[in-house]
Amino acid sequence: MHEFVASREIEAPHSLVWRYISDVAKWPSWLPTVKRVEPLADAGLDVGSKFRVIQPRLRPVVWSVTELNPGRNFVWRSSTPGIAMWANHTVATETRDRSKLVLEFRFSGLLAPIVVALAGSLTRQYLETEVASLRNVAEATARANRAA
């Protein structure tokens, strides 16, 4: 198994950070690593929900939500012959107005070493971009909410 992790402290309330990360269908509006998210049934995030995610430089992947702890984390998985992918999205409360986002991504299976050799640096780059992008959008929203 090959694992990648990225995390950030975010100057925004937990509920706001969770709202952004859990609204998967809206990721393309603020996340440069995602071109399109297509819900394959109900657009809501729930165990069993499936989404086709289209990202630059990658083939489209269908992700199935396998675990959901509302307000805390969700896990989704995808697989093709020889490779399985697992991703966990966690939001933790640090203080009333501060949160921590942790994104974890794993490759496993017979072809995992080859995929990691070919796409490991892109995976790392995308995770870092994703935590930074979420921090930027959540902090901007939190500032706007405080100013209102």
Side-chain angles (χ1 to χ4, degrees), residues 36-128:
R36 196 165 64 236
V37 175
E38 301 168 351
L40 298 182
D42 180 18
L45 186 69
D46 205 351
V47 172
S49 297
K50 293 182 184 218
F51 300 87
R52 179 178 291 111
V53 178
I54 300 164
Q55 296 183 268
R57 302 175 58 189
L58 297 172
R59 298 182 68 165
V61 174
V62 174
W63 291 93
S64 299
V65 177
T66 58
E67 182 181 333
L68 174 64
N69 298 295
R72 172 150 168 66
N73 80 305
F74 77 92
V75 173
W76 61 12
R77 298 174 188 265
S78 183
S79 64
T80 59
I83 188 82
M85 296 175 289
W86 172 97
N88 185 26
H89 313 74
T90 301
V91 179
T93 300
E94 297 290 299
T95 66
R96 187 174 144 258
D97 293 321
R98 188 177 183 88
S99 305
K100 183 174 184 177
L101 174 67
V102 180
L103 300 180
E104 302 168 89
F105 191 96
R106 294 180 193 153
F107 290 107
S108 60
L110 185 63
L111 298 178
I114 295 167
V115 171
V116 169
L118 295 173
S121 71
L122 183 63
T123 301
R124 206 177 278 88
Q125 176 188 344
Y126 275 16
L127 284 176
E128 289 297 330

